[in-house]
Amino acid sequence: MNLLNDPWIPIRKGADFKHIAYKELLCSEQSDLQVALPRDDLELACIQMLAALTQVIFMPADKKELRVRIKTPLTEQEYNAGIKKYEEWFDLDHPKWPFMQVLKTGTADPTPVQKLFPGLPAGANHAFFNETDECKKVCPSCAVIALFNLCTHTPNMSGKHKGGLRGNAPISTMVYDGSLRRMIWKNVLSKEITGQIFMGIRPEDPVWVKPIKKGEKISATSIGIVRGLFWVPILAQLQFKQEIIVCDCCGLPSSVAIEGFLLGSDFKFEIKGFWPHPYSPRQLNLQKENKNGKEKPEESVVSFRTTAPAWTQFSELLFQSEKTDKKEGYIPAAVVRQYYDLFSDQPLHLIIGGYRNKQAAILQRRHELYSVPAGWNEDLRDRITEVVNIGLDCEKLLVDKTLYPVVKGNKDNGIKGVGSPINSKASVLYFHLTEPLIHHMLRDTSLREFVQAKTVFIERISQICFDIFEQATRPYVHKPELIGTVALARVKLKRLLKNLKEQHTPGGVA
């Protein structure tokens, strides 16, 4: 299968679900096309893979050309001329350099193809919601998307394998559009932008054409955009079999089955420095060492640290902030910054996706979509930041300031605690119940009546806090030794939320 010539992109158009070719996507205007796969992480990987392909093959010279590409499909002549140099690079079963694979892995026993799909069980002791043979046979399309996802977004497979170029579990932020073709182009950087990010001349050959050497020490500044976007930190070779199947992943028929892949081991190399991935927001680190005394890089990719929704990290994902003595700085993804330069007069619809991990284990899959109105990076920046801060402050007042003391009590003052971790459960419930309010309020930051809308927002979110408090403490209100503890906490929560409302209302007027 060749990614530039054969149908492999899984799309849904109305009730029709099928594979289409990359050429059909870029050379026609079908506004209702969208990537369709049963897993949101694979959908995001497919979108990013398409954007990376377009970035490498059809990089526009400047903003003006990029605007034209977004507005108008490529002609067939433009497409055919553009792919000539690259057809061999993107062939899955090329005789010399198959796409993102090697011909010699040093292993003979195949690994089940299910290992390409993060989060699926590898043994019977892990099977609960998923079967151990859930993806036993897959089509080449799903296999290559899963391989790209494994190399680009996931933690390392084990201690024997390196993780992706961005670290173990990076957050990806991409601009969303209802048209798949336009969305791909909105996530492509112009040459003038890439020239600012990746200065100097770098090797253009991808990793599977010019492989990484075992034990090699690689400077991040030497990695060009072709190698970086399609980075391959593992030695893998897909095992193709001519067989008519129904793919266990996408459910479409295929004349080629992939049941496993050969996986090499003990492939070590070292990256020195930081590679600024176009789809990842970055953090400027203040601390030079981590808890174990190991040196930290000056920059790193923002990742999901807790189960809290992505809006809690909005400032890190949307806005550039300078590093100070007291605060770490953040730089949004290059595609987000470019979008604002191109379309500051239009709303931003932002896809935020990735994994939360613990070493090599996937703890959570994340895929969220947010919308903010035009002017978000300048005119509305303070409003958006205030909405996020209100949401975070209310959670802190409920969970840390009110319920945590209820859990612990106060021996010095003779106040007994409930003992059960009701604060942690309340935090999960808070984020679940308030997320629709946050989404709605972020969209409303452009309203002239923002102050009034903000007051209503605080009242609603305060009521949610009270409801959660009552639900969390209900089992304990009838115990004589805890009646006072709960009553005092209720009064405290009311006072704290009232103070917060006054802080965010001009003159303290509701």
Side-chain angles (χ1 to χ4, degrees):
M1 183 180 80
N2 190 295
L3 299 182
L4 306 185
N5 297 317
D6 299 322
W8 67 272
I9 305 168
I11 62 95
R12 185 177 297 282
K13 183 180 182 182
D16 192 16
F17 178 45
K18 61 180 181 178
H19 288 134
I20 65 168
Y22 183 50
K23 182 177 183 178
E24 182 180 349
L25 173 64
L26 293 189
C27 295
S28 63
E29 187 59 271
Q30 303 179 62
S31 60
D32 56 346
L33 285 187
Q34 283 297 333
V35 169
L37 282 167
R39 290 177 47 146
D40 49 21
D41 57 339
L42 295 183
E43 286 186 348
L44 180 61
C46 183
I47 293 169
Q48 193 170 123
M49 190 171 164
L50 288 167
L53 272 174
T54 310
Q55 180 73 67
V56 168
I57 300 173
F58 298 105
M59 187 189 308
D62 50 31
K63 296 177 185 178
K64 183 179 179 180
E65 184 180 339
L66 179 55
R67 284 180 180 273
V68 173
R69 295 302 188 202
I70 293 171
K71 186 178 180 180
T72 309
L74 291 173
T75 65
E76 289 194 16
Q77 291 79 8
E78 288 174 325
Y79 180 87
N80 294 335
I83 67 170
K84 275 186 179 180
K85 174 184 173 182
Y86 301 96
E87 284 183 277
E88 287 191 293
W89 284 5
F90 297 102
D91 195 327
L92 253 64
D93 50 1
H94 192 277
K96 290 177 63 179
W97 44 66
F99 175 68
M100 295 191 77
Q101 304 166 72
V102 295
L103 294 177
K104 295 180 180 180
T105 62
T107 54
D109 298 326
T111 299
V113 74
Q114 179 146 307
K115 284 286 285 182
L116 287 179
F117 298 85
L120 291 185
N125 59 321
H126 297 293
F128 186 61
F129 294 106
N130 300 96
E131 298 292 334
T132 54
D133 59 352
E134 190 167 314
C135 286
K136 194 172 182 180
K137 296 181 180 181
V138 301
C139 66
S141 169
C142 289
V144 73
I145 293 170
L147 178 60
F148 176 82
N149 183 59
L150 186 73
C151 293
T152 308
H153 298 113
T154 66
N156 53 38
M157 298 180 69
S158 69
K160 295 183 179 180
H161 304 281
K162 296 282 287 186
L165 190 57
R166 295 181 284 175
N168 280 341
I171 288 180
S172 288
T173 55
M174 303 189 75
V175 178
Y176 173 82
D177 190 283
S179 161
L180 179 58
R181 188 195 66 79
R182 289 199 303 268
M183 176 161 58
I184 297 310
W185 282 108
K186 285 182 178 180
N187 289 286
V188 170
L189 301 176
S190 68
K191 189 175 292 185
E192 62 182 352
I193 298 296
T194 58
Q196 297 169 11
I197 299 173
F198 308 101
M199 294 180 290
I201 299 174
R202 291 171 173 78
E204 286 298 308
D205 291 339
V207 174
W208 58 95
V209 175
K210 186 178 180 182
I212 302 167
K213 297 176 182 179
K214 186 175 180 179
E216 186 176 0
K217 294 184 178 180
I218 306 167
S219 170
T221 57
S222 70
I223 301 173
I225 198 163
V226 179
R227 287 177 73 81
L229 287 177
F230 292 99
W231 191 253
V232 188
I234 59 174
L235 302 175
Q237 183 185 13
L238 299 174
Q239 300 289 284
F240 298 87
K241 183 179 180 182
Q242 296 298 321
E243 180 183 350
I244 297 176
I245 64 163
V246 174
C247 177
D248 288 336
C249 179
C250 68
L252 289 173
S254 174
S255 59
V256 177
I258 298 178
E259 297 183 50
F261 61 103
L262 300 179
L263 179 65
S265 61
D266 297 323
F267 179 56
K268 300 293 184 182
F269 57 91
E270 182 182 352
I271 303 290
K272 292 187 173 184
F274 178 81
W275 195 78
H277 200 284
Y279 310 127
S280 280
R282 292 136 60 189
Q283 174 180 312
L284 306 175
N285 297 318
L286 281 178
Q287 298 177 343
K288 295 183 178 180
E289 297 179 349
N290 62 17
K291 294 180 180 179
N292 300 322
K294 187 177 180 181
E295 185 178 350
K296 290 177 67 175
E298 289 188 2
E299 293 186 40
S300 60
V301 170
V302 177
S303 59
F304 288 114
R305 301 181 289 268
T306 68
T307 58
W311 64 260
T312 61
Q313 296 176 257
F314 233 43
S315 295
E316 303 166 23
L317 306 181
L318 276 186
F319 306 127
Q320 182 159 342
S321 61
E322 296 298 324
K323 184 168 62 173
T324 66
D325 292 339
K326 297 181 179 180
K327 186 179 179 181
E328 293 172 329
Y330 296 96
I331 302 173
V335 291
V336 175
R337 286 179 286 147
Q338 177 183 257
Y339 180 82
Y340 185 78
D341 290 339
L342 284 170
F343 304 108
S344 60
D345 59 338
Q346 296 183 19
L348 169 68
H349 307 290
L350 190 67
I351 302 173
I352 304 172
Y355 300 98
R356 188 171 64 88
N357 73 305
K358 184 178 181 180
Q359 296 178 337
I362 299 290
L363 301 180
Q364 187 183 25
R365 270 195 349 237
R366 306 289 292 271
H367 189 277
E368 302 174 41
L369 178 64
Y370 288 84
S371 297
V372 289
W376 53 271
N377 195 31
E378 290 183 3
D379 300 339
L380 306 178
R381 177 171 178 161
D382 291 342
R383 290 185 176 187
I384 291 171
T385 302
E386 186 178 13
V387 169
V388 171
N389 288 340
I390 290 171
L392 290 172
D393 289 345
C394 285
E395 190 267 347
K396 186 175 182 179
L397 296 182
L398 172 66
V399 176
D400 297 340
K401 300 295 185 180
T402 304
L403 288 178
Y404 182 75
V406 171
V407 173
K408 294 297 183 181
N410 190 321
K411 291 183 180 180
D412 295 338
N413 295 330
I415 299 175
K416 185 175 178 60
V418 301
S420 178
I422 58 175
N423 57 323
S424 299
K425 296 175 182 177
S427 179
V428 174
L429 190 57
Y430 172 87
F431 286 124
H432 174 69
L433 294 177
T434 59
E435 189 158 10
L437 279 179
I438 298 290
H439 278 272
H440 188 274
M441 194 61 193
L442 287 172
R443 291 194 297 270
D444 284 353
T445 48
S446 61
L447 293 178
R448 289 184 179 179
E449 301 82 7
F450 175 73
V451 174
Q452 182 181 347
K454 180 176 61 174
T455 302
V456 175
F457 168 65
I458 295 174
E459 289 173 351
R460 289 179 178 175
I461 210 168
S462 296
Q463 186 58 54
I464 289 174
C465 288
F466 281 119
D467 292 343
I468 294 173
F469 176 87
E470 295 298 337
Q471 181 177 334
T473 58
R474 188 174 297 127
Y476 310 98
V477 295
H478 299 298
K479 296 183 178 182
E481 68 274 21
L482 295 174
I483 291 175
T485 303
V486 174
L488 288 172
R490 186 183 293 110
V491 172
K492 181 180 181 181
L493 178 61
K494 184 177 181 179
R495 172 173 52 81
L496 291 173
L497 290 172
K498 180 183 177 183
N499 291 341
L500 181 135
K501 182 177 180 179
E502 292 174 348
Q503 291 169 13
H504 291 276
T505 305
V509 180

